[in-house]
Amino acid sequence: LLCKSHKDCCEGESMKFHEVSTAFAAIAATSSRTEITQLLAVLLQKASAEEARTISYLSLGLLRPAYEGTQFNLADRSVKKILADLLELPEEKITALARETGDLGEVAAQGSWHVHTHLTVHEVFDALQALETISGKGSQEESAQEFSKLLKKLEPEGASLFVRSVLGRVGF
């Protein structure tokens, strides 16, 4: 299991999630399996062992092995509402953009907000794990609030990958 603080396993500078989301965007833009493999290999070479493990799971749209399952308490409709608030657009416009692009992650990537600090791979992964554990009464609202808070901390390209991860639509 991943350590909670990452202090024991991750010495030195941690990889920023922005670097992963940029690499994933480049991977998604190509159809060549060889090029996809090369781009992923370059990314993984830059990562620590724990980061490589995390990136590998994220590339499959998972947080852990498939047999353990990954389940978030957010559906497309909730994500559309969150994106509408974040992008300051009517929900109908988000729906139209999603239909046009075929991907709510792409809709998130069209944002123009700026972040002052870039979260690390571990910080985003921990946030995804925390988001997944929200359950019980009021969990839909709490999940939406936590999801929205994290989206605001990510640059649009990172938010795109985060949206895809939560909706289970990452993968090459």
Side-chain angles (χ1 to χ4, degrees):
L1 293 176
L2 290 174
C3 59
K4 274 295 180 198
S5 69
H6 306 293
K7 291 177 185 163
D8 298 329
C9 68
C10 308
E11 295 181 24
E13 188 66 27
S14 294
M15 182 178 277
K16 302 297 183 191
F17 190 71
H18 175 74
E19 189 170 354
V20 175
S21 61
T22 300
F24 277 27
I27 290 167
T30 185
S31 60
S32 165
R33 295 306 279 172
T34 302
E35 191 175 340
I36 289 171
T37 302
Q38 290 170 341
L39 290 168
L40 197 52
V42 168
L43 178 64
L44 293 173
Q45 286 174 347
K46 294 178 186 178
S48 70
E50 284 298 318
E51 289 167 340
R53 177 181 168 171
T54 299
I55 292 165
S56 296
Y57 283 133
L58 288 176
S59 73
L60 299 170
L62 303 170
L63 297 180
R64 63 188 63 77
Y67 64 85
E68 290 182 21
T70 298
Q71 182 68 40
F72 294 99
N73 199 17
L74 287 166
D76 281 24
R77 183 177 167 135
S78 298
V79 172
K80 286 177 187 175
K81 185 175 181 350
I82 292 165
L83 288 175
D85 291 340
L86 179 65
L87 300 174
E88 298 176 350
L89 294 171
E91 202 171 329
E92 298 77 29
K93 178 71 173 169
I94 298 297
T95 299
L97 287 169
R99 211 175 294 123
E100 183 181 308
T101 63
D103 180 12
L104 282 170
E106 272 302 310
V107 174
Q110 294 177 19
S112 60
W113 66 92
H114 300 284
V115 295
H116 299 290
T117 59
H118 293 285
L119 298 178
T120 66
V121 170
H122 292 302
E123 289 170 326
V124 173
F125 188 75
D126 286 348
L128 281 165
Q129 287 182 312
L131 185 62
E132 186 187 33
T133 63
I134 297 171
S135 63
K137 186 176 182 180
S139 62
Q140 292 259 325
E141 294 80 17
E142 185 180 351
S143 292
Q145 288 173 350
E146 291 303 312
F147 183 79
S148 181
K149 274 196 265 184
L150 190 66
L151 280 181
K152 291 174 186 173
K153 293 179 183 178
L154 296 168
E155 72 289 336
E157 200 167 69
S160 173
L161 176 56
F162 192 74
V163 166
R164 288 182 184 119
S165 296
V166 168
L167 295 176
R169 298 197 183 118
V170 179
F172 313 112

